[in-house]
């Protein structure tokens, strides 16, 4: 037979009128005793209770920030007195300077002159101007520099090939003449193929009188011609 699940709800087996008379007073006494113990136990153990300060709440006061350091007064030192390089007061007791000869002044008489100063006048000898140094590089013939005079001449010799071909013509050569008049260098300016070497061989044996510039011998550059003709 199935169990009646809701039977106890619809038909309870215990009713209010069946309880004992002392149930309610016993329950009230038990609850009152439990509440009293909860209140009385903390009072009986004061060490367990938190301490109560009678003076009131404690205020936490923070230390004030330190005052700023006093501002030190910087003492400025007076600037040193700079004296001007020139005198600010007029000088006294200085005699005026004697007149000096102007630049480029020369005595009227060559080789003599007068010296100004506190001493007595005296004569002095003016040395002659030194000649300008001779040029190191050869100078070209022209203007005040005239062609030097030939002192030694050598006739060119026909080569067998040029003689067999019966070649005639003029070979122009640029020659550098040294301070002693000898030919230092030679090169062909106008060429005749079969006659160039014979012309160079002849010009290199020529000699000239030294060329002077301001009384000093200088090397020169000049052009010479060598003529080849068959007789």
């Amino acid at each position: 037979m199935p169990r009646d699940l809701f039977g106890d709800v619809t038909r309870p087996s215990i009713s209010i009128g069946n309880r004992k008379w002392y149930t309610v007073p016993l329950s009230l006494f038990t609850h009152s005793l439990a509440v009293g113990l909860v209140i009385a136990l903390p009072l009986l153990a004061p060490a367990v209770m938190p301490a109560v300060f009678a003076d009131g709440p404690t205020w936490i006061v923070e230390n004030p920030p330190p005052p700023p350091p006093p501002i030190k007064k910087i003492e400025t030192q007076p600037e040193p007195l700079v004296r001007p390089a020139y005198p600010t007061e007029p000088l006294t007791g200085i005699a005026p300077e004697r007149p000096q000869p102007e630049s480029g002044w020369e005595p009227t008489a060559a080789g003599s002159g007068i010296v100004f100063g506190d001493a007595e006048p005296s004569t002095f000898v003016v040395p002659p101007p030194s000649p300008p140094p001779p040029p190191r590089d050869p100078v070209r013939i022209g203007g005040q520099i005239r062609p030097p005079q030939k002192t030694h001449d050598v006739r060119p010799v026909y080569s067998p090939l040029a003689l067999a071909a019966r070649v005639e013509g003029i070979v122009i050569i640029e020659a550098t003449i040294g301070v002693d008049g000898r030919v230092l260098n030679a090169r062909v300016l106008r060429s005749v193929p079969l006659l160039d070497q014979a012309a160079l061989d002849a010009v290199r044996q020529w000699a000239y009188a030294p060329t002077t510039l301001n009384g000093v011998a200088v090397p020169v550059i000049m052009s010479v011609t060598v003529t080849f003709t068959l007789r």
Side-chain angles (χ1 to χ4, degrees):
M1 181 176 182
R3 184 179 179 183
D4 190 1
L5 299 176
F6 301 98
D8 294 338
V9 177
T10 57
R11 296 182 300 275
S13 59
I14 302 173
S15 60
I16 299 174
N18 295 333
R19 293 181 179 177
K20 302 295 184 181
W21 61 269
Y22 54 84
T23 302
V24 175
L26 181 61
S27 176
L28 293 175
F29 176 77
T30 305
H31 284 80
S32 299
L33 181 60
V35 173
L37 291 175
V38 171
I39 296 172
L41 285 177
L43 298 176
L44 296 175
V48 180
M49 294 296 291
V52 178
F53 299 94
D55 297 337
T58 302
W59 300 91
I60 300 175
V61 180
E62 295 182 358
N63 295 328
I71 300 176
K72 295 182 179 180
K73 184 179 180 181
I74 300 176
E75 298 180 358
T76 58
Q77 298 180 357
E79 297 183 358
L81 180 60
V82 180
R83 296 184 178 179
Y86 54 88
T88 57
E89 298 179 357
L91 302 178
T92 58
I94 298 179
E97 296 182 356
R98 296 178 180 271
Q100 299 292 335
E102 298 181 357
S103 176
W105 176 85
E106 296 180 357
T108 55
S112 63
I114 300 176
V115 179
F116 293 93
D118 296 336
E120 296 181 357
S122 60
T123 59
F124 65 93
V125 178
V126 178
S130 58
R136 297 181 179 179
D137 298 332
V139 294
R140 290 188 175 274
I141 298 298
Q144 298 180 355
I145 303 177
R146 298 181 179 181
Q149 184 179 1
K150 185 188 295 185
T151 58
H152 180 69
D153 187 18
V154 175
R155 302 290 299 176
V157 177
Y158 263 93
S159 65
L161 183 59
L163 187 61
R166 302 189 63 80
V167 179
E168 295 181 349
I170 297 176
V171 180
I172 301 177
I173 296 176
E174 183 183 74
T176 302
I177 313 301
V179 293
D180 57 353
R182 297 180 180 274
V183 178
L184 302 178
N185 190 15
R187 65 186 184 94
V188 177
L189 297 180
R190 179 180 177 183
S191 172
V192 178
L194 296 179
L195 304 177
D196 292 345
Q197 190 60 43
L200 290 174
D201 294 341
V203 169
R204 286 168 180 167
Q205 300 178 53
W206 294 355
Y208 293 85
T211 303
T212 59
L213 179 63
N214 297 327
V216 180
V218 295
V220 295
I221 299 176
M222 60 182 297
S223 298
V224 297
T225 59
V226 181
T227 304
F228 290 85
T229 56
L230 292 174
R231 296 179 181 178

